[in-house]
Amino acid sequence: MERRGRLTLLGTEWSAVRRPFVNTSDVPLRVVTIHDPPSIYAQQHRNGSVTYSGYLFQLWQIVADELGLSYRMSAPLSPGYGSLSSNGTWTGVVGDLAYGRADVALTLLNPTPERAAVVDFLDGVPMGSESTTFLVRRDSEAAPSLSLAMFASLLRPLGADVWWTLAAALLALSLVLRLSLRFNSARAEDGRLVRDMGWGSCLLAMTMTVLGQGWDRTPRSLAGRTVTIFGWMMAILIYVNYTANLMSFLTTHTVGRPINSVREFVQQPAWTLAIPAGSQKLNKLRSSRDSFERELYRRSTTGDRFISIYKTEKRRAECGSQAGYRELSFGNLLAFLCLVPLGVALSLIVLALELLISRVRSPKRRRQLRSEV
């Protein structure tokens, strides 16, 4: 471990390792960067000079000192990380590298196939890690008091009709699971599992599926496994939608009309698109087959109801009058709730086929046993 100012470097000290490169040229490296807090801060002063700070800049200073590099910092010819323009040329940091205006770029730049075709990405120096967490205020006045409404809010990401439909789905799937175990042939299903997995146990197992818990044993028959798989699929989708909507409910304000599609966003004349200049998303919008996504790219090139975040950091874009959240209704989840009747029907069909095959094979098995005797 080595300390450099306020930085702590983990691992072997650089000074103990043979330097792979020493810059002997009198020409300093041209290092291009943008104001990209918290990694890079580019502060321009009234006299026209620019000073740089931030943990990524400090790390670059350490690398340059260890390798004996001289350099000078500059801003790119056009702001942003770098994206392909409509005429096929590169902008931003990537453009300065691709066209020889800079030797090194110092910024957080996501590698994409398009960018990798024109610039080289260096990943030999670890620079940071991140984790996602929730933060709350310390003062007690901001903490809500315990109430029934607080616990009821855990149900609000999904509408009441969704919860009732989910309960009915659990009952239906557990009933079909029990039928597939109870009435299947002894050849297809384990007798001990049939005795242990009563209707209550099947209902508990399906509930555990929705809660993301596993089972100690699973059915052996194809019919039982079919309904189990459909239960898992429904549980995963419910879990994902519930979690995503719960996050929205806890972190945003209620709105009357959220954005449901890119088309709806484009058709609203009062909404403004805000995106980082040179974002890789612009390249995807440019080559998209969706005409509405291509319209968003057109707006980014013409400036029509578009804000480049790194050009105007002090401005704030708003989509509509409020940020949004609403409960997911039965209609929103209808597409994957249809998995339940599909799974029930398919499992019953498989159960019927397994019983039919068992009856066909039973006389043959009895004749085989008699011949052996």
Side-chain angles (χ1 to χ4, degrees), residues 104-301:
V104 178
L106 191 62
T107 185
L108 296 180
L109 188 64
N110 291 329
T112 64
E114 295 82 6
R115 290 171 175 171
V118 295
V119 300
D120 293 323
F121 287 87
L122 304 178
D123 55 2
V125 180
M127 55 166 294
S129 61
E130 63 180 21
S131 60
T132 303
T133 185
F134 284 102
L135 299 176
V136 295
R137 292 173 57 180
R138 285 185 176 181
D139 54 298
S140 58
E141 296 180 358
S145 58
L146 292 177
S147 64
L148 292 177
M150 175 184 293
F151 293 100
S153 65
L154 295 176
L155 303 176
R156 290 188 61 185
L158 305 180
D161 51 355
V162 175
W163 288 112
W164 285 114
T165 303
L166 178 59
L170 291 177
L171 291 174
L173 291 174
S174 59
L175 178 60
V176 174
L177 178 61
R178 177 54 186 164
L179 291 176
S180 66
L181 296 175
R182 173 64 180 82
F183 294 101
N184 217 319
S185 64
R187 179 186 298 273
E189 198 59 75
D190 179 29
R192 182 179 178 183
L193 181 64
V194 174
R195 292 190 301 270
D196 293 344
M197 291 285 288
W199 186 84
S201 297
C202 290
L203 179 60
L204 177 61
M206 280 297 170
T207 305
M208 291 171 63
T209 297
V210 175
L211 297 177
Q213 303 298 314
W215 304 0
D216 56 345
R217 287 181 295 171
T218 54
R220 292 177 53 186
S221 63
L222 183 57
R225 292 186 176 184
T226 299
V227 67
T228 300
I229 290 173
F230 273 89
W232 287 341
M233 293 171 60
M234 185 197 71
I236 291 173
L237 294 173
I238 283 285
Y239 184 79
V240 169
N241 279 274
Y242 174 85
T243 305
N245 225 38
L246 178 61
M247 294 284 290
S248 300
F249 172 69
L250 293 174
T251 57
T252 66
H253 300 288
T254 302
V255 300
R257 191 165 187 231
I259 302 172
N260 292 315
S261 65
V262 176
R263 176 177 181 176
E264 182 178 342
F265 177 86
V266 172
Q267 291 177 343
Q268 299 301 315
W271 288 352
T272 301
L273 173 65
I275 194 170
S279 171
Q280 59 177 326
K281 183 62 179 178
L282 291 176
N283 294 334
K284 297 179 181 179
L285 295 176
R286 175 176 174 267
S287 57
S288 174
R289 296 182 179 179
D290 189 332
S291 60
F292 295 100
E293 291 188 350
R294 293 197 303 272
E295 169 61 17
L296 291 182
Y297 176 77
R298 183 200 66 80
R299 285 167 56 172
S300 71
T301 58

Side-chain angles (χ1 to χ4, degrees), residues 56 281 314:
L56 183 55
K281 183 62 179 178
K314 295 183 180 180

